[in-house]
Amino acid sequence: MIEISALRHLILDIPLLRIPEGHCMVIGGNGAGKSTLLGLCAGMQVPLSGSVAIGGREPRSSQVGWVAEFPDRTLVFESVADEIASSLRFQHRSCAEIRREVDACAERMGISHLLSASTRELSGGERVLVALAAAIIARPLLLVLDDVDAHLDERSANAVQAAIAHSGTGHVVQSTQNMETAAAGDWIVCLEKGQVIHSGTPETVFDALAGSWLYPESWRG
Amino acid sequence: MRLCCSGVRLTRGRFDMIADGVFEPGIHLVSGRIGSGKSTLAHILAGVRPPAAGVVSAEGITTTGLLMQFSEYHVTAPTVAGEIRSWGPEPEAILAETGLTGREGDHPLRLSRGELRRLHLACMLAQPWDLLILDEPFSALDGRQKELLCRRLEQRPAGIVIIMTHEPLHLPACDMLWEIVQGTLMYRGRIPDALPAWDGAPSQVRSLLDRGVVPENITPAAIREARCRIRG
């Protein structure tokens, strides 16, 4: 359970929000506060007032995987293999184990052919896939993904959702502008002008949003 | 006015692509998987990067606009107002249009990625370009903003608009379809006739084509209309 209480931070004003374990999708218009909320959950920002807790602990004392809305900002290393291996290396795992994990993770993400490439020569979509692989490989307690599907084609986006589902991570918080993707989540939080206007299962939230631009195209009669 | 590629070869790191074809006035959609070379092609067509071989010739084209895939690469000024002026327009109208009034003194990178995208698109679309190349213009925009952008692109005066995207749903009415398949830029033809040959068609279009129905165009409205035809 992620619990946010009495939160006031920049545009966000959230008296109480509880997100159950599973895959939570954060939706809303541009500038609604999605990235700010995700940054707080990832511990990239600390609330000005109020609190964010993941299973009762602060984000900064939990293991969190994070892919930013500007994917360039999370790529640190020169080669793709080093980038994906980085979080396991910081845990001082053995070289043999790291190599095995990196190969398996790259294969699941469909990016084995990129392992020897430089992170600088990747296309926009490939950067997102590499950043995501680096974020999920250490099986974090929480995975925070900011609009990762914006740079992906449909097939890659589906592969990514499958890789996330099999990542073994208990909590995923993901923002998206694709309502078909959002509808496949376990939980939806809808933001407007910094406030949570809906929070619940996809059925209940999209029921409340029927007739709005956020309603999934494939659900329309 | 037209843009011609003859024997154009693109290389970048491990990747290699060839492009031949002529872009006439109208809206062109270029589709291709991630890493297929859409951005590199956009840079070469815009003339900001030379091809490894071949020639891109712009006939009767005097102004070219390029929207890059990542908005942050466009930022050249430390304030939102300065960023707008760097494109030419006066800030007031653009701020009002993008709903960013009050943010003029902020650093552009303090905006959300969708807001920054909207800002750059508004600055670009405020000017007439003979050739306008948009690399993933829809990414980071919300559904409403994507639809607004589609309508604005459709209403632009004659010129060549080339859109590189894998946006699956919110697409404008397009005239010509291109696809990058296995390192080759393929001209699929005029829409709608070209649609059955579209390998990478988004699933909503693909499901119609699989049932033998060809939508009039690729806008959500045209796809909805075609779906009604199936139901009778």
Side-chain angles (χ1 to χ4, degrees):
Chain A
M1 170 87 77
I2 298 176
E3 186 165 310
I4 294 170
S5 58
L7 178 77
R8 298 194 78 133
H9 182 80
L10 307 179
I11 191 181
L12 290 178
D13 181 357
I14 302 178
L16 182 66
L17 173 65
R18 290 197 177 102
I19 301 173
E21 266 205 22
H23 199 142
C24 171
M25 301 290 188
V26 180
I27 61 172
N30 292 143
K34 298 185 299 298
S35 294
T36 308
L37 177 63
L38 265 55
L40 288 167
C41 289
M44 301 307 292
Q45 300 178 46
V46 174
L48 295 170
S49 73
S51 67
V52 177
I54 304 158
R57 301 177 70 180
E58 282 184 7
R60 288 195 176 185
S61 46
S62 307
Q63 215 205 348
V64 180
W66 183 60
V67 180
E69 59 175 339
F70 298 102
D72 266 5
R73 290 193 190 169
T74 42
L75 297 179
V76 176
F77 294 92
E78 171 64 33
S79 93
V80 168
D82 287 342
E83 180 69 32
I84 298 176
S86 56
S87 61
L88 298 179
R89 286 193 179 140
F90 291 138
Q91 294 176 355
H92 306 290
R93 309 265 277 269
S94 78
C95 292
E97 184 191 355
I98 290 172
R99 166 166 287 199
R100 227 177 19 248
E101 292 276 336
V102 168
D103 286 346
C105 183
E107 194 173 335
R108 273 200 306 279
M109 301 286 298
I111 53 172
S112 299
H113 61 292
L114 297 178
L115 280 175
S116 59
S118 158
T119 48
R120 287 166 224 282
E121 66 180 37
L122 299 177
S123 81
E126 289 167 347
R127 276 168 212 225
V128 172
L129 295 179
V130 170
L132 187 60
I136 64 175
I137 193 166
R139 297 188 182 84
L141 184 68
L142 165 66
L143 188 57
V144 179
L145 308 171
D146 199 350
D147 209 14
V148 289
D149 51 352
H151 301 287
L152 301 177
D153 58 56
E154 260 185 333
R155 247 166 73 193
S156 310
N158 291 339
V160 160
Q161 294 307 129
I164 297 167
H166 292 109
S167 66
T169 292
H171 265 299
V172 182
V173 178
Q174 175 179 11
S175 68
T176 183
Q177 290 297 353
N178 185 327
M179 296 306 130
E180 316 298 327
T181 306
D186 301 315
W187 196 262
I188 291 187
V189 170
C190 180
L191 292 176
E192 194 178 289
K193 294 183 183 144
Q195 307 203 347
V196 175
I197 56 166
H198 300 290
S199 172
T201 61
E203 289 73 19
T204 51
V205 169
F206 284 127
D207 250 12
L209 291 170
S212 85
W213 61 274
L214 286 161
Y215 198 71
E217 186 69 24
S218 65
W219 287 24
R220 286 172 209 257
Chain B
M1 137 188 3
R2 56 190 209 148
L3 182 72
C4 308
C5 293
S6 47
V8 168
R9 183 133 183 240
L10 305 68
T11 52
R12 191 186 48 115
R14 36 198 167 77
F15 138 110
D16 199 3
M17 177 184 152
I18 47 173
D20 271 290
V22 178
F23 293 85
E24 305 269 1
I27 302 183
H28 299 257
L29 186 83
V30 180
S31 116
R33 300 222 48 202
I34 63 168
S36 63
K38 295 189 294 298
S39 297
T40 309
L41 179 64
H43 295 167
I44 286 173
L45 294 179
V48 297
R49 173 204 285 256
V55 180
V56 177
S57 52
E59 299 170 10
I61 294 169
T62 51
T63 52
T64 300
L66 168 68
L67 180 83
M68 291 188 278
Q69 181 178 10
F70 293 115
S71 290
E72 57 269 38
Y73 296 166
H74 277 296
V75 174
T76 54
T79 62
V80 168
E83 182 65 17
I84 297 170
R85 277 196 204 95
S86 77
W87 287 84
E90 275 308 303
E92 286 69 28
I94 299 288
L95 288 166
E97 181 192 331
T98 50
L100 293 173
T101 304
R103 306 289 302 272
E104 49 269 40
D106 287 358
H107 194 286
L109 292 178
R110 299 290 294 178
L111 301 179
S112 81
R113 207 160 61 93
E115 289 170 336
L116 185 59
R117 194 55 149 186
R118 234 156 67 194
L119 181 77
H120 285 138
L121 281 165
C123 291
M124 282 195 97
L125 297 179
Q127 302 163 63
W129 305 97
D130 292 336
L131 171 61
L132 181 58
I133 299 172
L134 304 170
D135 189 3
E136 296 294 354
F138 304 102
S139 80
L141 296 181
D142 66 40
R144 275 173 311 191
Q145 296 296 331
K146 286 178 185 177
E147 286 298 319
L148 282 174
L149 173 59
C150 289
R151 300 297 85 75
R152 286 203 66 178
L153 291 173
E154 289 162 357
Q155 287 156 11
R156 279 183 75 78
I160 304 170
V161 178
I162 303 175
I163 304 171
M164 320 283 181
T165 191
H166 30 62
E167 164 63 35
L169 180 63
H170 300 281
L171 291 164
C174 293
D175 302 301
M176 268 76 70
L177 179 67
W178 301 74
E179 195 166 13
I180 302 174
V181 181
Q182 288 169 348
T184 307
L185 176 69
M186 318 273 275
Y187 177 55
R188 296 300 193 199
R190 291 194 76 87
I191 292 174
D193 299 341
L195 293 177
W198 192 2
D199 278 350
S203 52
Q204 303 234 22
V205 176
R206 172 56 49 203
S207 72
L208 289 170
L209 295 173
D210 287 348
R211 294 193 219 177
V213 175
V214 180
E216 280 298 306
N217 212 299
I218 52 179
T219 61
I223 289 166
R224 243 175 266 146
E225 186 274 334
R227 229 186 276 139
C228 291
R229 266 190 271 157
I230 294 178
R231 293 194 193 119

